[in-house]
């Protein structure tokens, strides 16, 4: 494959880093902060001659303007929206609001006249809500409302309205922020899956143009020649089936709760001699549990490949029940003579004891082996579903329906 094709494939692959879904909310916050600053400037112009300390009020207004310009510059970029800056935002706005108690007279405060900060105080609630979601926005709204009540020293209809606006804004904007974060995570997951699919398709084209064609030719010519070449043809055919199954299978991606689809992972083990049957719906489990079960099944298949015989076939059945996951691995091979496992363990070959039984028991499950000479072997693995991976399965899925 030449460099032009490689460049084209890389160009077509989507970016796996989606934009921050909260960016529109940050833009709205920046616009509102400027509007609130202009509103404060208008009221300051009207009341400046009546303030007890107009120079201090002017300093507060200047700091408000400088802080507005600084935070807008930082909040415009994703890298600038840090928890530290948002926390500093809360401190600065609260401090400026508290200074207003020195700027205004007691009569002005009791009369409910706007402070120097006035509604600009609400911008601390919007920044917290966008950054920390519904919980952070609600808490910050309560803090702003309590500060207002303490400064005024009274509760009237205006104070009640301000309290509702502060807390309500924090909760509603926080809810929108939480929704945007979840949407961004889902988009990121979709983009990763799309990128993995694009890479898999690129590899599939490369493999199809080289490896699969060679294996297909070896299989065909070996079958025609017969003898030992026929055995090579059979092995080439098995590898061809395995490669095609690996290319066709979807990469296991963790879900939103950090789980992994065990059914998708097991399907990658399918070969010409191994038939995998799984439910038609995903079987989500914690990543560690899914990895241990996958390794256990692979160990059982390797044992069957080594000991069941060259012509033996293997069937793997995955059942997703309400409280547990059941995996059956059965072959029609030669079976295991009585006492062979005990001899293997005494000789230090602990594959069955550790790789299969050990893993399953480590997950809180059981591994049962049924075998007899000439009757094949069958493993039944039963693992309880961890509480952290519970889903709404209804009554569960019984039986294996290949996907």
């Amino acid at each position: 494959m030449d460099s032009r094709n490689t460049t084209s494939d890389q160009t077509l692959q989507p970016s796996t880093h989606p934009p921050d879904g909260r960016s529109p909310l940050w833009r709205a916050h920046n616009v509102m902060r400027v509007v609130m600053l202009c509103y404060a400037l208008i009221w300051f112009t009207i009341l400046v001659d009546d303030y007890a300390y107009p120079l201090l009020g002017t300093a507060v207004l200047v700091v408000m303007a400088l802080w507005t310009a600084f935070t807008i510059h930082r909040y415009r970029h994703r890298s600038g929206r840090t928890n530290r800056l948002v926390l500093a935002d809360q401190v600065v706005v609260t401090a400026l609001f508290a200074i207003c108690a020195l700027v205004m007279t007691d009569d002005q405060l009791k009369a409910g006249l706007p402070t120097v900060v006035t509604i600009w105080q609400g911008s601390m609630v919007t920044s917290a809500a966008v950054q920390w979601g519904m919980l952070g926005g609600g808490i910050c709204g309560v803090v702003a409302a309590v500060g207002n009540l303490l400064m005024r020293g009274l509760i009237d209809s205006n104070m009640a309205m301000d309290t509702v606006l502060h807390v309500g804004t924090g909760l509603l904007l926080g809810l929108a922020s939480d929704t945007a974060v979840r949407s961004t995570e889902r988009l990121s997951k979709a983009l990763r899956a799309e990128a993995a699919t694009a890479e898999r398709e690129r590899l599939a084209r490369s493999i199809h143009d080289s490896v699969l064609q060679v294996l297909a030719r070896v299989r065909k010519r070996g079958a025609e020649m017969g003898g030992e070449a026929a055995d090579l043809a059979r092995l080439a055919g098995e590898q061809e089936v395995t490669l095609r199954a690996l290319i066709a299978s979807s990469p296991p991606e963790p879900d939103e709760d950090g789980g992994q689809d065990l059914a998708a992972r097991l399907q990658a083990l399918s070969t010409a001699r191994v038939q995998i049957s799984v439910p038609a719906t995903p079987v989500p489990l914690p990543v560690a549990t899914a990895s241990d079960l996958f390794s256990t099944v692979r160990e059982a298949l390797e044992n069957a490949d080594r000991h069941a015989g060259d012509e033996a076939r293997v069937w793997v059945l995955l059942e997703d029940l309400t409280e547990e996951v059941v995996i059956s691995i059965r072959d029609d091979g030669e079976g295991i003579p009585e006492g062979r496992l005990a001899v293997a363990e005494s000789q230090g070959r602990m594959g069955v004891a550790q790789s299969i039984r050990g893993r399953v028991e480590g997950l809180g499950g059981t591994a049962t082996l049924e075998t007899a000479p000439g009757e094949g072997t069958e493993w039944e693995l039963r693992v309880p579903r961890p509480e952290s991976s519970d889903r709404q399965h209804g009554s569960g899925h019984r039986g294996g329906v290949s996907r």
Side-chain angles (χ1 to χ4, degrees):
M1 184 168 54
D2 58 28
S3 59
R4 291 177 298 175
N5 291 336
T6 302
T7 303
S8 176
D9 286 334
Q10 292 176 347
T11 302
L12 292 175
Q13 288 182 4
S15 171
T16 56
H17 301 285
D20 187 358
R22 297 173 299 176
S23 292
L25 299 178
W26 281 115
R27 288 193 291 269
H29 161 78
N30 289 341
V31 171
M32 287 301 299
R33 175 159 276 187
V34 172
V35 172
M36 291 173 177
L37 178 64
C38 294
Y39 181 86
L41 178 60
I42 293 172
W43 272 106
F44 179 81
T45 303
I46 296 173
L47 299 176
V48 61
D49 293 335
D50 298 326
Y51 286 146
Y53 297 97
L55 290 180
L56 181 58
T58 302
V60 169
L61 194 64
V62 170
V63 174
M64 288 169 55
L66 293 175
W67 186 251
T68 297
F70 171 72
T71 55
I72 287 178
H73 172 71
R74 291 294 303 275
Y75 290 154
R76 285 179 58 195
H77 307 285
R78 189 171 187 174
S79 59
R81 303 162 189 166
T82 62
N83 289 330
R84 181 177 298 179
L85 178 59
V86 175
L87 181 60
D89 201 354
Q90 314 305 303
V91 174
V92 169
V93 175
T94 302
L96 291 175
F97 179 75
I99 294 174
C100 292
L102 302 176
V103 176
M104 302 176 67
T105 65
D106 292 338
D107 292 338
Q108 289 174 332
L109 289 174
K110 293 179 180 180
L113 292 178
T115 64
V116 178
V117 172
T118 185
I119 62 173
W120 191 79
Q121 181 196 17
S123 63
M124 65 181 279
V125 180
T126 57
S127 63
V130 175
Q131 180 71 6
W132 296 322
M134 191 173 180
L135 178 60
I139 292 175
C140 187
V142 171
V143 171
V146 170
N148 199 10
L149 293 173
L150 291 177
M151 176 180 291
R152 301 290 183 177
L154 56 87
I155 299 177
D156 57 14
S157 60
N158 289 331
M159 293 296 99
M161 181 178 61
D162 287 347
T163 300
V164 172
L165 289 176
H166 282 311
V167 178
T169 299
L171 293 176
L172 293 178
L173 192 58
L175 177 61
S177 177
D178 289 336
T179 303
V181 169
R182 288 193 295 268
S183 298
T184 301
E185 291 174 352
R186 287 194 292 268
L187 177 59
S188 179
K189 179 182 177 182
L191 290 176
R192 288 197 303 269
E194 185 178 354
T197 299
E199 178 66 12
R200 189 171 68 252
E201 291 176 351
R202 184 185 69 82
L203 293 175
R205 289 192 296 269
S206 176
I207 292 174
H208 183 272
D209 293 340
S210 55
V211 180
L212 289 178
Q213 289 183 355
V214 172
L215 289 175
R217 184 171 180 81
V218 170
R219 175 173 54 81
K220 181 178 179 181
R221 291 291 297 161
E224 293 174 351
M225 295 174 62
E228 294 184 357
D231 292 334
L232 293 177
R234 178 179 58 80
L235 293 176
E238 292 179 356
Q239 294 303 313
E240 181 184 359
V241 172
T242 301
L243 276 177
R244 292 186 185 277
L246 183 60
I247 292 172
S249 63
S250 300
E253 282 283 336
D255 58 22
E256 296 179 359
D257 299 319
Q260 198 171 71
D261 183 10
L262 178 61
R265 295 202 62 179
L266 291 182
Q267 284 183 311
L269 298 174
S270 177
T271 67
R273 295 172 54 193
V274 178
Q275 178 179 334
I276 308 293
S277 298
V278 299
T281 55
V283 183
L285 292 172
V287 174
T289 302
S291 297
D292 281 344
L293 287 176
F294 175 81
S295 299
T296 301
V297 174
R298 184 174 57 186
E299 176 69 21
L301 294 179
E302 290 176 356
N303 286 338
D305 183 63
R306 288 193 298 264
H307 305 299
D310 295 337
E311 302 298 327
R313 294 172 297 172
V314 186
W315 295 268
V316 178
L317 173 64
L318 171 63
E319 296 178 280
D320 184 13
L321 307 183
T322 304
E323 301 294 336
E324 63 182 355
V325 174
V326 181
I327 304 176
S328 301
I329 306 107
R330 179 175 62 87
D331 67 65
D332 60 357
E334 300 174 357
I336 302 177
E338 185 177 356
R340 176 181 290 183
L341 294 179
V343 173
E345 293 184 13
S346 65
Q347 295 175 350
R349 292 178 290 163
M350 306 294 289
V352 173
Q354 291 184 350
S355 298
I356 298 181
R357 286 200 175 100
R359 281 197 180 99
V360 175
E361 291 175 358
L363 297 173
T366 59
T368 305
L369 173 64
E370 294 184 5
T371 183
E375 297 183 5
T377 61
E378 180 175 2
W379 282 100
E380 184 179 75
L381 315 178
R382 290 183 172 270
V383 176
R385 178 177 292 278
E387 294 181 2
S388 60
S389 67
D390 280 347
R391 303 292 191 274
Q392 294 180 352
H393 291 284
S395 59
H397 304 283
R398 297 194 64 91
V401 181
S402 298
R403 292 190 294 175

